[in-house]
Every structure is written in structure tokens, then in C-alpha cells.
């Protein structure tokens, strides 16, 4: 069983940066792939980025590629999402998710979810 807690969201202006953190409980966090997803009001939950147990394997949505960076520190049981050059369209609740398997871009593949953290980008 893995429990996830996100933090780091907030209200920023366009062009600013934020770093989201995802703290995981459990001794086997290093075995899990981690994904970040986001959901804006009235919209579906969209893939943002994912990273495998091997930090060299990471994938991004086209909309965030070059601006966002996913990383993990297995010693701290924590995954991160560094978000630079934020845009108003990045406004959403951001969710961290984990799965015992390969990295995936599909939210249905993830069995463990955090409660979400709100990111609001003003223009």
C-alpha cells in the first residue's frame, strides 16, 4: 500500500515557476513508477508527466515538454514536478499517482493517488 501526499501548489503569475512535491509512504517507493496528472474544472484528468523507477525514463505531454521536469529522489520517497514558464492554461488540480510497473501515460494504469494540489496561474 502506497499513500501519496502532494504539496507545493499555489497562485502564481504567468511566466512564474512552481515545484510540486509528492511524498510517498511505504518502503518500496523506488519500485514504483510515478505520474503527474492534472484536471481543470469541467475537463477530464490529463496526463502531464511520468517517470519510471529508473529516473532516466521519463515522458511528457506535448503541452508541457520543455517547461516541466519530473524527477524523483528515492532516498526521500519523493517525486517532484518542476514547472517553469507557467501559463494560464496550466491552471488545474495536479495529482500525483503511483503504480507498481512500467511508467504509463494512462491514468487508469495507476492504482495509488494523492489528494491533489491546486495550481492557479493568472495572466
Amino acid at each position: 500500500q502506497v499513500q501519496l501526499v502532494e504539496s507545493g501548489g499555489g497562485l502564481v503569475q504567468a511566466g512564474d515557476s512552481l515545484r510540486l512535491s509528492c511524498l510517498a509512504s511505504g518502503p518500496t517507493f523506488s519500485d514504483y513508477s510515478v505520474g503527474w496528472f492534472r484536471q481543470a474544472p469541467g475537463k477530464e484528468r490529463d496526463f502531464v508527466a511520468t517517470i519510471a523507477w529508473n529516473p532516466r525514463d521519463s515522458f511528457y505531454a506535448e503541452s508541457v515538454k520543455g517547461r516541466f521536469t519530473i524527477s524523483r529522489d528515492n532516498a526521500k520517497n519523493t517525486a517532484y514536478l518542476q514547472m517553469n514558464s507557467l501559463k494560464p492554461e496550466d491552471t488545474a488540480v495536479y495529482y500525483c499517482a503511483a503504480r507498481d510497473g512500467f511508467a504509463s501515460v494512462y491514468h487508469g494504469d495507476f492504482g495509488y493517488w494523492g489528494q491533489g494540489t491546486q495550481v492557479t496561474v493568472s495572466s
Side-chain angles (χ1 to χ4, degrees):
Q1 187 78 8
V2 176
Q3 292 183 324
L4 306 171
V5 179
E6 303 98 332
S7 62
L11 172 63
V12 297
Q13 293 186 332
D16 286 350
S17 298
L18 277 176
R19 188 177 79 158
L20 305 183
S21 298
C22 174
L23 177 62
S25 65
T28 59
F29 174 70
S30 59
D31 294 338
Y32 287 76
S33 296
V34 175
W36 285 96
F37 295 81
R38 66 187 181 186
Q39 189 166 18
K43 295 188 177 181
E44 295 185 350
R45 191 166 297 189
D46 290 332
F47 166 72
V48 175
T50 188
I51 188 167
W53 65 269
N54 183 341
R56 292 176 297 181
D57 293 334
S58 59
F59 307 93
Y60 298 89
E62 285 298 321
S63 60
V64 306
K65 197 173 292 184
R67 299 188 298 124
F68 291 10
T69 302
I70 190 171
S71 61
R72 65 189 299 163
D73 185 339
N74 290 333
K76 296 182 178 180
N77 275 15
T78 303
Y80 304 96
L81 184 69
Q82 177 67 43
M83 306 186 295
N84 298 330
S85 302
L86 282 162
K87 304 175 181 179
E89 51 263 44
D90 294 319
T91 295
V93 177
Y94 283 71
Y95 297 91
C96 172
R99 70 184 301 262
D100 184 9
F102 295 109
S104 174
V105 304
Y106 302 107
H107 62 76
D109 287 341
F110 289 82
Y112 304 98
W113 290 85
Q115 81 289 350
T117 185
Q118 176 70 47
V119 172
T120 303
V121 184
S122 64
S123 58

